[in-house]
Amino acid sequence: MSTSSAIVSASPETASPRSRAGQGSLAVLLLLCLGHMAVDLYSSALGALQPLLVRHFGLSLTQAGFLGGLLVFSAVTQPVYGILSDRWHTRLFAALGPGIAALFISCLGIAPSYGWLLAMVWLGGAGIAMFHPQATARATMGMEEHRGRAMALFVSAGTLGFALGPTYFTFVTQRAGLEGAWIAAIPGIAVTLFLLWVLPLPDRPLGTARSFDLGAMRSVARPLTILFFLVFIGSAVQITFAQFLLLYLNLERGFGVDTARYTLSLYLGGGAIGGFLGGHLADRMGGRNVILLSMVGSLPLLGIFFLTEGWVALVSLILGGTVLLFTVPVNLVMAQELAPKQAGTVSALMMGFAWGTAGVLFM
């Protein structure tokens, strides 16, 4: 039996009925895509701000690194928000996340001390963590067809925001300085106000479960574990490149800092395209084949980047990032099909917990 068929057949739950068509409508999906792009814009900002924070606060490299690790570790808490979003009848996790992340990450330059820096990074990370489980679960709710494409659109919106984050904060700090970077919070706060205004309430707690159903999770533990480790492996490669590519280009390839930042944005932008393409490919050729294509195809392309120079290296880097992230929407949809009544929880496991665990281990 193939991996994808084993995963689907292992689910003891049938797809839950969709009581409100609007939950899975294109309008709700687009609203959540807007929120995803906004919240991930701030999740990648710390890398651009760290050199300025080091100079402004006189931080050691260890202290600066701990800030980055703390932000990554906040992703490990996503299952907590997933469990709560599966239980409570609310839209606040998805709606408030962008504004909370924007406020605390953008205001790091006016923190009075290193202790406050730690607290603000943690709170900004909490905004990022609370958004993802609920929004990911709702993104395809009510859709019977083309769920892979819908999830690909949602994932790509977040990856695009993540790719734009370093460039956006570089632009702001070059004009307003670190202490004036608080103005960068305006888009995220505006998105939160917009979502509070127009995002509809779920008709009931996500996936119909009013509490965490450990039995349902235990019954699909094996296929979920397989999916988790696939996500973990891909996340480890992605995080390693995202965290160290700028330094590598600057120190080993002689790129200027701004050129290295733009190259990093191109690499991350390739990942945004990859997530979008992966969902489309999954609807056509099946999730298992997309996962195999990503695993087999991405590593040679990323290897070529280290062995070549010039435009060949740049193209292979971008293509490698594109193919690497083919699997993100595929894994999410597969996990949600395994445990539809715990959609927020399994989304958090696949997106936040796997990514955060990889980040803690490989940063």
Side-chain angles (χ1 to χ4, degrees), residues 21 31 35 73 76 93 104 120 129 172 181 224 237 248-249 256 260 270 279 334 359:
L31 287 172
F73 183 75
V76 179
F93 291 106
F104 288 105
M120 291 168 70
V172 171
L224 275 180
V237 177
Y248 173 78
L249 292 173
M334 282 185 168

Side-chain angles (χ1 to χ4, degrees), residues 42-59:
Y42 299 97
S43 70
S44 64
L46 187 59
L49 294 175
Q50 271 182 325
L52 301 177
L53 292 171
V54 167
R55 289 197 295 269
H56 183 77
F57 290 96
L59 304 181

